[in-house]
Amino acid sequence: PTKFMDSEIKVHQIIQDLQGVAAAPDLFPEFVRLKAVSPLLSLISHENTDISIEVVDLLKEFTDVETVQEEGRNAEILLDALIAKQMIPLLVTNLERLDETQKEDQQAVHNTLNIFENLMEVAPEVAAVKLSTETKLMDWLLKRLRKGVFDENQLYASEILSMLLLTGGKAVKAFTEKQGLKRLVRCVAAYRKRDPESLDEVEFVENLFNCIVSTLGAEKANQLAFAQADGLQLMITMVRKKRYTQAAALKVLNYAVSDCMSNCEKTIECSGLKAIFKAFMARGKVSKRLKQEIEATEEHVLSCIVQLFVHLSDVRYLRLLNKFRENGYEKVERLVELHDKYYSRLEDAERKYQREHPDEPVDEDELYMRRLDNGLYSLQMCALLIALICSAGEKGIYERVVQLLNQQDSSLKDVKETLEEYHANLAGDKSGKKMKTILNNVIIILDQLLGTGEEEGGGEEEDQASGSAPAAARGAPQEEKEQ
């Protein structure tokens, strides 16, 4: 036993000495050449966890992002060797035996996650694949998200998971294979009746929602799995409760229904319309700090309603359309109000830019990106919604839209121009092509409405023009329901 203790003391001293190597990156290639990497990594599994903890701390220094970026090739040689000699699976396996009720072990977990974060920053694609597919890290992270009282390591676990899922592909696949969405829904459900209690917990909750968004955006099957895990019902409840999570829940709901007919239908079945339109009607003065969050919420609400219009039919579609008819067309008034808000903002922003850059030539791509930064997407959603409700064959809705636009010194011509700009800048992927078809149809109907002179008061032709609509405007025939 005495000899054993002596050997551990020697190992401890060697590890301490190696801290000097970590501070001298020019020695990294020599460290690798001397084949010191494998013996060092073997100590991660040392039966004395104090030794293991010291090695983890040393590896954190070796993988430091600033060191890797500043030292270039020297640091890359060591990093490549560490990865090749199985540092990642050894660290993940070691996580399982650390007891976070002990302060030293808790710090070792934090340092291990720090190493993973470093790897994700300097070699994101390699690190993401190895962490998510060649280890049990996904399972460990999902368990850690729900373990005990909220703490710093729980926050860190959510950050690592969010970073992994942002890479998409194999990381998202590994996540879904671990029933990740279902387990995340359970984590988020804890905030159905309470708000986060600290800034760190706020960040934790935001990370959870971002993880869900990353997964939903990766594959349609994930949208269906989310609904099966009662995710839609939970998001609708959170929107209705108006707690801190409302904005994040609307974002998730938007991603859940995007190009997904069955989720749009299930949203109606879960009494989602009332919650969504309550958020849509939200008004009031807010602080500058909350302004950006509220406008992001408006964007997601508008996009969500557009998706419902595009994918619903029959009774569900009529229930949606009726929302714009009820209570004296108050939803129409709110829609035109939002249209004016974003239209005016874009005009003001462009005038300001021209004043500050009077001699700068116009670059169309830069102009479009600048407009997006100033709320163009929300304006496009407003314009598309206006076009969809005007083409629905409801004369009362149509006449109220025209009246309100005229009061704002605007018209359906402005709406049409916005949609034409949207159409011209859509991507050529499957989703972009589908939206182009919808835009083509509503622009044709707007042309018919403008051609009948209906904006100026019209005549008998109005009903024929405005009644041409719902399915055609929304790009019928609709997609088949997902299996």
Side-chain angles (χ1 to χ4, degrees):
T2 305
K3 278 189 175 181
F4 185 69
M5 288 296 295
D6 288 344
S7 69
E8 287 186 348
I9 290 170
K10 289 178 181 178
V11 171
H12 165 75
Q13 189 57 55
I14 290 170
I15 295 171
Q16 293 302 306
D17 291 342
L18 286 175
Q19 290 287 349
V21 177
D26 54 307
L27 297 177
F28 288 178
E30 185 67 8
F31 186 76
V32 174
R33 189 187 69 78
L34 293 172
K35 298 182 179 180
V37 171
S38 290
L40 175 65
L41 293 178
S42 69
L43 295 175
I44 295 174
S45 305
H46 198 285
E47 60 183 322
N48 185 338
T49 55
D50 290 338
I51 297 293
S52 173
I53 288 168
E54 290 183 334
V55 174
V56 170
D57 185 58
L58 178 61
L59 292 172
K60 185 188 74 169
E61 300 302 320
F62 277 156
T63 60
D64 179 71
V65 173
E66 287 187 14
T67 300
V68 174
Q69 292 174 343
E70 290 173 6
E71 296 301 324
R73 186 56 187 156
N74 285 343
E76 288 175 9
I77 290 171
L78 177 57
L79 197 61
D80 290 345
L82 290 170
I83 293 174
K85 297 298 182 181
Q86 303 302 302
M87 175 182 71
I88 292 174
L90 286 167
L91 287 171
V92 173
T93 300
N94 190 54
L95 282 172
E96 296 286 353
R97 68 173 182 150
L98 293 173
D99 178 9
E100 289 189 72
T101 61
Q102 304 298 315
K103 186 176 180 180
E104 294 79 7
D105 287 34
Q106 187 180 48
Q107 185 60 48
V109 169
H110 191 275
N111 288 344
T112 301
L113 296 177
N114 193 172
I115 293 168
F116 296 156
E117 181 183 20
N118 291 342
L119 295 175
M120 287 293 296
E121 289 194 31
V122 299
E125 293 181 4
V126 173
V129 170
K130 288 188 173 294
L131 286 167
S132 58
T133 66
E134 298 179 14
T135 73
K136 295 181 179 180
L137 180 63
M138 279 289 185
D139 202 42
W140 185 90
L141 290 171
L142 284 164
K143 289 177 182 176
R144 188 62 186 81
L145 293 179
R146 300 190 70 200
K147 186 178 178 181
V149 179
F150 173 77
D151 61 14
E152 190 176 355
N153 282 348
Q154 202 168 44
L155 169 60
Y156 215 162
S158 71
E159 289 174 0
I160 299 300
L161 183 59
S162 182
M163 291 176 74
L164 285 171
L165 294 178
L166 274 174
T167 66
K170 292 182 179 180
V172 171
K173 186 173 185 293
F175 175 75
T176 55
E177 287 173 353
K178 296 289 184 183
Q179 297 267 302
L181 270 173
K182 187 174 183 179
R183 292 162 79 175
L184 266 188
V185 167
R186 289 174 186 164
C187 290
V188 169
Y191 296 92
R192 183 177 69 252
K193 295 182 179 180
R194 73 176 184 89
D195 288 336
E197 296 176 0
S198 66
L199 290 177
D200 279 350
E201 195 171 5
V202 164
E203 187 178 348
F204 169 71
V205 172
E206 289 175 352
N207 287 337
L208 296 182
F209 278 99
N210 287 337
C211 287
I212 296 174
V213 167
S214 295
T215 310
L216 292 175
E219 196 173 329
K220 182 163 286 189
N222 297 340
Q223 294 173 297
L224 302 179
F226 181 69
Q228 290 166 2
D230 294 326
L232 285 175
Q233 181 66 69
L234 177 62
M235 295 304 110
I236 290 167
T237 299
M238 287 181 158
V239 171
R240 190 168 60 245
K241 293 282 186 182
K242 293 184 71 174
R243 290 189 173 276
Y244 174 81
T245 53
Q246 184 190 47
L250 279 166
K251 181 178 181 180
V252 168
L253 193 58
N254 181 25
Y255 275 81
V257 301
S258 182
D259 288 328
C260 186
M261 183 191 295
S262 64
N263 278 5
C264 287
E265 293 176 346
K266 191 159 187 175
T267 298
I268 304 301
E269 293 162 11
C270 293
S271 304
L273 281 182
K274 185 176 180 179
I276 291 169
F277 276 94
K278 189 173 182 180
F280 175 73
M281 292 299 293
R283 289 185 176 97
K285 292 184 178 180
V286 296
S287 65
K288 290 182 180 179
R289 184 178 63 83
L290 290 175
K291 186 177 179 182
Q292 188 174 3
E293 180 181 313
I294 286 177
E295 290 180 351
T297 299
E298 288 172 351
E299 176 184 313
H300 293 304
V301 171
L302 289 165
S303 180
C304 190
I305 297 172
V306 165
Q307 291 297 323
L308 294 176
F309 261 111
V310 168
H311 293 99
L312 295 177
S313 59
D314 303 326
V315 174
R316 296 184 185 94
Y317 171 80
L318 293 174
R319 285 180 62 189
L320 173 63
L321 183 63
N322 188 56
K323 284 290 177 182
F324 287 90
R325 187 190 302 112
E326 66 184 16
N327 297 330
Y329 303 109
E330 65 174 7
K331 312 296 191 303
V332 176
E333 293 175 6
R334 175 62 172 155
L335 177 57
V336 175
E337 176 187 311
L338 287 170
H339 178 271
D340 180 63
K341 169 184 172 179
Y342 287 103
Y343 191 91
S344 299
R345 173 190 293 178
L346 283 162
E347 285 193 325
D348 292 344
E350 194 53 33
R351 278 195 293 266
K352 180 181 178 183
Y353 186 86
Q354 293 300 329
R355 285 197 305 271
E356 294 172 353
H357 306 83
D359 301 321
E360 186 174 299
V362 177
D363 182 298
E364 293 299 327
D365 290 337
E366 285 185 14
L367 174 61
Y368 191 73
M369 294 305 297
R370 196 161 64 242
R371 283 167 61 76
L372 283 173
D373 289 340
N374 285 296
L376 177 59
Y377 183 72
S378 292
L379 176 65
Q380 290 167 340
M381 292 300 99
C382 287
L384 183 50
L385 269 178
I386 288 172
L388 287 167
I389 63 175
C390 282
S391 62
E394 286 285 336
K395 185 177 179 182
I397 291 177
Y398 176 82
E399 289 179 343
R400 187 65 178 140
V401 168
V402 172
Q403 180 188 37
L404 291 167
L405 285 173
N406 287 338
Q407 289 174 5
Q408 304 287 359
D409 293 325
S410 186
S411 69
L412 285 181
K413 290 179 182 177
D414 296 322
V415 172
K416 179 190 168 190
E417 287 173 4
T418 299
L419 295 179
E420 287 172 337
E421 180 187 30
Y422 185 24
H423 182 282
N425 287 279
L426 278 168
D429 57 8
K430 183 178 178 181
S431 179
K433 288 178 180 177
K434 181 178 178 180
M435 182 54 72
K436 281 190 174 185
T437 300
I438 294 166
L439 290 172
N440 279 333
N441 291 334
V442 296
I443 288 170
I444 288 170
I445 293 172
L446 286 180
D447 276 333
Q448 293 173 352
L449 294 172
L450 291 166
T452 62
E454 191 169 355
E455 273 198 272
E456 287 72 38
E460 293 181 1
E461 290 179 284
E462 295 173 7
D463 291 329
Q464 183 180 359
S466 63
S468 61
R474 293 177 287 129
Q478 296 187 24
E479 60 183 304
E480 294 182 5
K481 291 186 181 181
E482 298 86 356
Q483 299 298 316

